[in-house]
Amino acid sequence: MTTSTTGTDDAGPGVREELARLRDSIDNIDAAVVHMLAERFKATQQVGLLKARHQLPPADPAREARQIARLRALAEDAKLDPAFAEKFLNFIVAEVIRHHERIAEEAVNGPAVPAEAGTAPGDRPRGE
């Protein structure tokens, strides 16, 4: 497939208008996806706090397996590639588990101390 490096300049006004309409729709969907992910992560943060409070493990492989099966079925119904949907969920779940591990660590050791200005995390002043 050859792509033009001139953008939409070569297209007629009708094509440019249709392209703009479609891109506006894509932009709206992207915004909705970001907001939905933000809401999802707010909920999973609460789950992480609850798990930490009750010393539950950050990951729940049985739930994750059920969610993958559920999402694959939803993807098939929506005519979306189920393998893509599974990869997407796995990416999200990995991030959620990372957050839950951090929350559990902070429940045991207290919040991480921010690095000093101009110091990279993990750097220590010389002589210590």
Side-chain angles (χ1 to χ4, degrees), residues 2-23:
T2 306
T3 57
S4 170
T5 58
T6 60
T8 58
D9 294 340
D10 298 346
V15 172
R16 286 194 299 271
E17 288 172 13
E18 179 70 1
L19 187 58
R21 184 188 67 74
L22 291 168
R23 286 178 173 167

Side-chain angles (χ1 to χ4, degrees), residues 66-121:
R66 287 190 308 271
Q67 285 295 93
I68 287 170
R70 180 177 161 272
L71 195 67
R72 286 184 70 92
L74 287 170
E76 286 181 24
D77 290 346
K79 308 294 187 257
L80 179 69
D81 178 6
F84 169 77
E86 183 174 345
K87 287 178 193 174
F88 183 70
L89 182 62
N90 283 332
F91 177 77
I92 291 170
V93 167
E95 186 67 11
V96 167
I97 291 170
R98 191 178 69 75
H99 290 186
H100 289 185
E101 289 169 343
R102 188 196 77 241
I103 291 167
E105 177 72 21
E106 288 177 355
V108 171
N109 299 322
V113 178
E116 293 181 41
T119 307

Side-chain angles (χ1 to χ4, degrees), residues 45-83:
Q45 288 294 101
Q46 295 300 308
V47 169
L49 291 168
L50 185 63
K51 285 180 172 184
R53 203 173 304 127
H54 297 280
Q55 293 86 42
L56 297 171
D60 184 344
R63 163 127 171 107
E64 293 160 25
R66 287 190 308 271
Q67 285 295 93
I68 287 170
R70 180 177 161 272
L71 195 67
R72 286 184 70 92
L74 287 170
E76 286 181 24
D77 290 346
K79 308 294 187 257
L80 179 69
D81 178 6

